[in-house]
Amino acid sequence: MSRAEVVESVRPVSPLWTFGLLRSELTTTFRRWRTLALLAVLAAVPVLVGIAVKMETSDGSSPGGGGPAFISQITNNGLFLVFTALAATLPFFLPMAIGVVAGDAIAGEANAGTLRYLLVAPAGRSRLLLTKYATVVIFCLAATLVVAVSALTVGALLFPLGDLTTISGTQISFAEGLGRALLIALAVAASLIGVAALGLFVSTLTGSGIAAMATTVGLLITVQILDQIPQLHALQPYFFSHYWLSFADLMREPVYWDDLTKNLGLQALYAVVFGSAAWARFTTKDITA
Amino acid sequence: MGELSAAEPEHSEVRAEAGEPVIATRALTKRYRGGQLAVDGLDLTVPAGSVFGFLGPNGSGKTTTIRMLMGLIEPTAGTARVLGQPMPRATRAVLPHVGALIEGPALYGFLSGRDNLIRYDSADPAADPRTRKARVAAALDRVGLTAAAGKKAKAYSLGMKQRLGLAAALLQPRRLLVLDEPTNGLDPQGMREIRTLIRELASDGTTVFLSSHLLDEIEQVCTHAAVMTQGRLITQGPVAELSAGARGRLVVTTPDPAEAARVLKEQGVGDVVVTDDRVTGEPPESDLADVNTALVTAGVRVRGFTVERASLEDAFVALTGEGFDVAG
């Protein structure tokens, strides 16, 4: 073992390398046509809701009962469109988008064969999985912000802005209302962490991106249906979607934290359980695709 | 070269001791969950500096073997060492020194050729991001893709994809290149370029492990070869020795084939076959000059008298008893 050969073979590893991989993962994800299409759909929801409310109330009447939370207040204050749009997209559009991106994360790469080249690069299985999960979580935040920003823009264009009334009946300034809107967006993004972990786990089980996406979205719908069946009330607190609408509690004065923290705890539980399952599966799996 | 920074323990273990094989497997076995035995007790030794041809029909276990060597598949039994390190345990230390093209290229169709390489390079912990652009440009240039570097990979032809896959394997100076069917989809000119490239890399000291179904390709570029069928290794060694194992055939061209065949049989030539004006057979132990004299003495008009050297294909057929393209 000559010393010269040893030195020649050395390639120092930068400690920041993982961030390089994350950056590459983010650019790859956000340059996909599919990702952009999903974000476009999400951006379109507040536009449709805003226009619908505007048209319905153009004769001076107030919007009829029903519909997502806060919808009756939009005509008074455009900021409420942010809350309405998040309430309208959280049950389905947002988690579906997350399910597609998370389900595709590993299975899509396996399907395209690019997974084997990432692994022989070598990206490292744990690091790749962690990077993938981080990317999906960042996508949760990005998707939520797209809805919120689109809603805020449409709300500002179509309706008046100003001080607003909380659910508890107190007045808060517009600036504080904006702060609450940001908090709500963060709470909504955090509500999606469980779906993200579940989708990533499903993604490690199959070599087909489409199958993983379909399974994740299917699970999402199933859980939401089960959450409506009264006989299952003992199980329902463990459904990832059970506390989703707790974000509305951020509009109370003072804020009612009970369900919000339950929601965060539940999402963390899902992240730990399905994250570990995904790790156990992915680090021992034979990569034959 | 030129990276003379302090030795890091993890990487300093990856080294070639004098004479240590680059790849060494002992009783390497893979049984898939269905019970199918894909690789059965493989003892493969790839010497450092060789261009090693890995041969076998489809389904013979070549790809499973390559995947085990690259840490993608866990062996059921046996061990595999690459660059002196156990796989798959030492993937982090070993694989930065290995460039691989496994079962054809796989690309992100929506990214340009250049961005594909940047993506793969970012996945390598040992790749320096500061030199990334330059190394990507050099790799593209090396495979002749500079002009198409900005095009989306989905618009590439099969041959261009193959070149891009090769470029990804060449992003760093490598100690070992594992190339699975590298000339697939290339036109004859492209094949020649790739062969030249492989010879260049080999002359720089890179060990090349090349799987191919094109026997003449293996014969042209490889110094060593191994043959697999049905998960087992039939033979391995220097190419010259392998083809020497199969004996050549004596070929006599003559306008008097019937008479020639009679004389050749008398002279101890076995398995005499007559096709038009060609008479072929297994050469006898005696001096071939005497055989020729016998032909001429018997009044046979001889136009040509040669021994056709056995090719690797003959050796392969002799070893497996079947044609090369028959799936095992």
Side-chain angles (χ1 to χ4, degrees):
Chain A
M1 59 174 99
S2 91
R3 199 64 206 157
E5 277 173 339
V6 174
V7 172
E8 190 195 327
S9 73
V10 167
R11 295 216 184 103
V13 177
S14 159
L16 293 177
W17 163 73
T18 304
F19 294 100
L21 182 59
L22 179 60
R23 205 181 67 173
S24 163
E25 191 60 47
L26 284 172
T27 46
T28 308
T29 303
F30 282 94
R31 281 174 73 178
R32 261 181 219 281
W33 182 86
R34 184 174 53 226
T35 313
L36 300 177
L38 287 170
L39 292 178
V41 168
L42 289 171
V45 172
V47 178
L48 291 177
V49 173
I51 291 173
V53 170
K54 185 79 184 171
M55 277 165 63
E56 200 192 343
T57 58
S58 54
D59 55 355
S61 69
S62 65
F70 307 110
I71 198 161
S72 56
Q73 306 213 46
I74 294 176
T75 41
N76 301 326
N77 195 327
L79 191 53
F80 276 102
L81 186 58
V82 175
F83 312 140
T84 308
L86 288 173
T89 49
L90 182 53
F92 187 70
F93 283 104
L94 274 172
M96 185 206 67
I98 308 308
V100 168
V101 172
D104 192 53
I106 300 285
E109 300 261 13
N111 203 22
T114 46
L115 182 61
R116 60 174 185 265
Y117 287 108
L118 292 178
L119 290 181
V120 301
R125 296 195 186 195
S126 304
R127 278 178 196 246
L128 186 62
L129 190 71
L130 208 60
T131 312
K132 290 276 182 193
Y133 189 57
T135 305
V136 178
V137 169
I138 290 171
F139 178 76
C140 291
L141 189 63
T144 313
L145 289 178
V146 162
V147 174
V149 169
S150 162
L152 187 62
T153 313
V154 174
L157 287 174
L158 297 183
F159 306 103
L161 295 175
D163 291 358
L164 59 165
T165 315
T166 63
I167 298 177
S168 315
T170 56
Q171 285 286 117
I172 55 173
S173 69
F174 179 68
E176 205 192 332
L178 268 183
R180 295 281 174 105
L182 184 66
L183 268 181
I184 284 178
L186 290 177
V188 168
S191 300
L192 299 167
I193 285 175
V195 181
L198 186 65
L200 197 65
F201 171 59
V202 172
S203 193
T204 60
L205 297 179
T206 165
S208 154
I210 302 285
M213 290 184 230
T215 309
T216 311
V217 174
L219 278 172
L220 173 73
I221 296 169
T222 313
V223 165
Q224 305 235 42
I225 292 171
L226 294 181
D227 206 14
Q228 303 302 320
I229 301 177
Q231 284 79 0
L232 294 175
H233 72 273
L235 288 176
Q236 284 165 355
Y238 300 100
F239 292 158
F240 55 77
S241 61
H242 191 67
Y243 297 108
W244 271 359
L245 294 179
S246 65
F247 76 84
D249 294 343
L250 284 165
M251 278 307 287
R252 293 182 199 278
E253 191 66 36
V255 173
Y256 179 62
W257 290 103
D258 230 26
D259 284 356
L260 281 164
T261 45
K262 274 187 196 158
N263 183 31
L264 288 180
L266 187 63
Q267 300 306 324
L269 183 69
Y270 268 83
V272 168
V273 170
F274 287 101
S276 309
W279 180 81
R281 170 73 181 149
F282 187 56
T283 49
T284 55
K285 187 184 182 183
D286 279 349
I287 308 295
T288 50
Chain B
M1 299 270 193
E3 293 170 310
L4 291 169
S5 33
E8 208 178 291
E10 184 186 353
H11 285 272
S12 59
E13 286 166 20
V14 179
R15 62 200 157 206
E17 293 185 29
E20 193 188 350
V22 168
I23 296 172
T25 73
R26 297 276 302 157
L28 190 68
T29 302
K30 180 66 189 181
R31 187 184 288 277
Y32 283 116
R33 261 186 299 176
Q36 179 208 354
L37 197 58
V39 175
D40 184 6
L42 197 69
D43 290 317
L44 187 70
T45 307
V46 177
S50 62
V51 179
F52 196 98
F54 195 39
L55 288 163
N58 299 331
S60 60
K62 285 180 308 196
T63 301
T64 303
T65 305
I66 290 178
R67 282 175 182 269
M68 283 194 280
L69 293 174
M70 297 292 99
L72 292 171
I73 290 182
E74 186 97 25
T76 313
T79 58
R81 294 179 82 82
V82 176
L83 301 174
Q85 293 284 300
M87 292 297 278
R89 227 181 57 221
T91 44
R92 274 294 298 282
V94 169
L95 291 181
H97 303 276
V98 180
L101 186 65
I102 307 162
E103 273 191 290
L107 306 166
Y108 299 88
F110 61 100
L111 294 179
S112 69
R114 185 183 292 113
D115 288 343
N116 266 283
L117 294 187
I118 289 174
R119 164 88 171 140
Y120 285 136
D121 199 57
S122 319
D124 180 354
D128 186 349
R130 285 164 298 185
T131 59
R132 185 162 292 152
K133 270 196 167 162
R135 285 182 293 109
V136 165
L140 285 166
D141 184 55
R142 193 142 199 196
V143 297
L145 271 184
T146 304
K151 247 176 52 171
K152 292 227 187 301
K154 65 178 167 222
Y156 278 17
S157 68
L158 182 57
M160 287 161 84
K161 287 179 179 162
Q162 194 75 13
R163 284 162 192 259
L164 195 63
L166 264 173
L170 299 175
L171 283 168
Q172 302 243 38
R174 309 284 192 185
R175 300 251 313 275
L176 167 65
L177 276 176
V178 174
L179 304 176
D180 197 359
E181 305 277 357
T183 56
N184 232 2
L186 293 176
D187 53 22
Q189 172 63 21
M191 285 184 173
R192 214 164 0 211
E193 285 172 28
I194 297 303
R195 269 181 228 134
T196 310
L197 182 62
I198 290 172
R199 286 196 196 98
E200 271 174 40
L201 292 163
S203 67
D204 294 346
T206 307
T207 307
V208 183
F209 186 78
L210 179 77
S211 99
S212 178
H213 68 282
L214 299 174
L215 283 152
D216 59 335
E217 182 170 287
I218 298 269
E219 218 166 11
Q220 280 181 47
V221 297
C222 292
T223 58
H224 294 67
V227 180
M228 262 189 108
T229 47
Q230 295 174 5
R232 293 183 151 274
L233 197 64
I234 303 178
T235 184
Q236 62 180 326
V239 166
E241 282 177 24
L242 293 183
S243 16
R247 303 172 68 203
R249 276 182 85 81
L250 175 64
V251 179
V252 177
T253 321
T254 169
D256 314 315
E259 181 67 3
R262 190 186 60 79
V263 177
L264 287 175
K265 276 178 193 154
E266 272 177 17
Q267 292 294 316
V269 175
D271 185 29
V272 175
V273 177
V274 180
T275 33
D276 298 334
D277 63 345
R278 273 167 59 95
V279 184
T280 65
E282 284 171 12
E285 298 300 319
S286 57
D287 191 343
L288 285 176
D290 295 338
V291 178
N292 195 14
T293 310
L295 283 170
V296 176
T297 313
V300 175
R301 295 167 294 167
V302 176
R303 284 206 193 109
F305 186 91
T306 55
V307 176
E308 281 183 356
R309 199 174 65 82
S311 69
L312 204 53
E313 184 162 1
D314 297 328
F316 185 87
V317 172
L319 283 165
T320 60
E322 63 187 50
F324 189 71
D325 288 321
V326 179

